[in-house]
Amino acid sequence: MTIVYAEPLNIEPPAPLRRDSLRLVWEGVDGSRWALGGPGGVPLLRTDVVGLLHPAFTDHAAVAAAVDGQWYRSSRAMPRHVSFTAYLQGDQSSDYIDRHGAWWRSWSPRRTGRLSVASVRGTRSIALRLTPSGDGGLGLDPQLWAHEAAEVDAVADQPFWLGEAITRSWASTAPVSFFGPTGYGPDFYISSAATLASAAVTNPGDEASWLVWTVTARSPVSAASLSAGGGVVTLPAMSAGQTIRVDTDPATGSAQLGAMVGGVFVASDPDIDGLIGYDPRPLPPGVQVPVGIDVTGEVEVQVSFVPRYWLAF
């Protein structure tokens, strides 16, 4: 008889599959919040929610007689159409009427609310206006039956989904004398450069994004130059404790002087555009872009932006 001794295999069971639903939340023009779908939320009567995928693009191209095809020049994203059907109900007729009124008060054809979609990648949101086509009629008396299939048709004038804001920070220090505080040495001190050439930022979105620069002087600053993506912003002299915030977005652009109070920027002069050297560029998507910070003095520099996506998730 042959006896073989062996150690049993220790095979760990596979991790259970985890599948989470998308979480949709509507923040109405009146400040109300509505969970759409899922436990406790407003039920959605159909799964084909329109507007969560790519926006429509219009191409600009050139053609020539007797030449096949075309030459692509550029394209632009069109306003995004969003639609879905929400199921409104109540135990009593009065409950339904209250819910019906509250739901439609959260929508407006003249003001925007915000639809958010949360996935395992994070949360993205888009501003929506109601675009009613007119009363389509009711097949049943909704008050009698205490429910309604509410058809929502809306438009996103700005068609891209906005991700969560991304912020990066760096600090520069004033150079220390090589001979130390006595001026004679030793010890000898090696100073780091005030130009932080290793700083970089990456835009994970599908479209270019504009930067917001926030620069706080920790000592008197006689000059500061900030650059990213080929754009340059030059700041005036700053006293210790002062903060300058520059929003480079052409739609909302501004340059403000103020201070950081409890980690929040508080403007004291809301318009210092005339003091800013201004030639910004948007941050291109998908690539790491060096950030140039060239200062004379000690500063804390924060750059932030909101990535823009084609898809809701």
Side-chain angles (χ1 to χ4, degrees), residues 167-171 194-203 211-215 225-231 233 283-284 287-294 301-305:
T167 300
R168 297 289 183 267
S169 300
W170 302 273
T195 300
L196 304 181
S198 61
V201 66
T202 301
N203 176 8
L211 301 177
V212 177
W213 296 92
T214 304
V215 181
S225 177
L226 313 171
S227 62
V233 174
L283 189 66
V287 295
Q288 186 179 70
V289 174
V291 175
I293 306 170
D294 192 357
V301 177
Q302 181 185 93
V303 62
S304 62
F305 65 95

Side-chain angles (χ1 to χ4, degrees), residues 115-138:
L115 178 65
S116 299
V117 178
S119 71
V120 293
R121 286 186 173 184
T123 300
R124 301 175 185 177
S125 66
I126 199 166
L128 296 178
R129 285 189 303 109
L130 186 67
T131 54
S133 58
D135 187 0
L138 296 170

Side-chain angles (χ1 to χ4, degrees), residues 172-174 194 215-226 234-244 257 293-301:
S172 70
T173 57
V215 181
T216 300
R218 297 194 291 187
S219 69
V221 174
S222 59
S225 177
L226 313 171
T234 303
L235 305 183
M238 303 167 61
S239 301
Q242 286 187 320
T243 298
I244 291 179
L257 177 66
I293 306 170
D294 192 357
V295 300
T296 303
E298 295 184 65
V299 296
E300 294 180 2
V301 177

